[in-house]
Amino acid sequence: MNFFIYTFGCKTNTYESESMSRLLSETGRYRAVSDYVSADVVIVNSCMVTGESEKKAAKLIRRIRRENEKACIVLCGCMPQVIGEAAFGTGADVICGNTKRADIVKAVDSYFEKKTISRDMKIFRVEPHLKDETFELLAPDRYKNLTRANLKIEDGCECFCSYCVIPFARGRVRSMPPEDVFKVAGDLVNSGHREIVLTGINIGMYGKDLGLSICDAVKAVSEAGAERIRLGSIEIDLISDAAIEELSRIPGLCPHFHTSLQSGSAKILKRMNRRYDPEEYMRKIGLLRSSFANASVTTDVIVGFPGETEEDFNDTVEFVRRAGFFRIHVFPYSKRNGTAAAGFKDQIPVEIKKQRVAALEEVAAELKKNFLTGQVGKTVNVLFERSSGGFARGHSENYVEVRVRTEEDLKNRIVSVTVSGVDSSGDFVYGNIG
Ligand code: SF4
């Protein structure tokens, strides 16, 4: 039978979708196809971070049902893990959580077995996260369409930021033992991946359950032979000064740090239950920059958090200017049921949120152009991802997109490039090989 997986959300979800695809294909009874119209099974791997992502999953299921009526539709991931049986309201046939991703094969098999008995068969497989739950080892063999390979090393979060539903969706921290990190990373390297991206729900908490730290995971990947190692999003308060120093000595670690700021206002950070103040954040990114040459820092900011005044918002704008971020992902605050902030009285009107998103995105574009301009004249190592139309494009170690004019197919090659200029779009730079 043909199957198709549609993935919403984060790199961890991408990793889990690739792993589910491998498990289904290995049975010999299921074959991956490239669209949902010709699939017998369509799996929607959902995300719960914002109200938008929840709505998009429901809308997609309605469209699949219209365009492929006979398909068995599976809704899995963070959305059913949080809303449970209410997920059947989307019209899906099979509902799976994110505790046991490997159960996807059993769930789909049992749907077809039981379908022979009753036409409107529904399967529900959502189990609660348990206190003593351990890390579920899933491993894609390789990423067919990606040059960089995601490697999920951690699951769960115990921070309970007041706006965030993820701890309810993902449970307590579970870490992949370093010997498995070494093995899976080795498999990805042997299958041709030259860069490995360490991902998880909160990788800064990696090892909390094993008495280890993120440094141990990075070392295991480096020892497995990865030429480049990139950290996924990491919380600034969870990387100590000592860890930064230790990380700076591990060969191959890319000088790019995505660390969510969320707000530049100390008052709002407190209300968000974030575990740092603006000055401590600034000190830490300063330390990252002094420990890694030509480092880039990218971040996320939520605007329109309940109680955010014009003055608080201006604090954020002033802070991001001072921090000189390479990129800023700007999100309007999204109320999530079950979170502390959903109960806060002073919610911000949508119109104000929109204005603040627009204003901050303008500043973000300016800061990005400044950062890219600062790369001109520098020599960087670019991992090329594709070649077309006389150009090859890829990313440098500090995650700048670089394009060079060449007829040669540089896909999956790491080449030294001298940056020559910034494109007028302000999105990438040009360079010359050598
Ligand atoms: S650190 Fe905060 S924002 Fe990040 S997953 Fe955990 S609770 Fe959510």
Side-chain angles (χ1 to χ4, degrees), residues 156-167 201-202 205 235 237-238 260 262 272-275 302:
C157 180
E158 298 164 17
C159 291
F160 293 93
C161 302
S162 63
Y163 53 83
C164 185
V165 77
I166 296 174
I201 299 303
N202 189 342
M205 285 192 145
E235 297 291 322
D237 61 294
L238 294 173
S260 304
Q262 303 303 19
M272 287 176 163
N273 192 29
R274 299 290 283 170
R275 298 147 309 277
I302 294 174

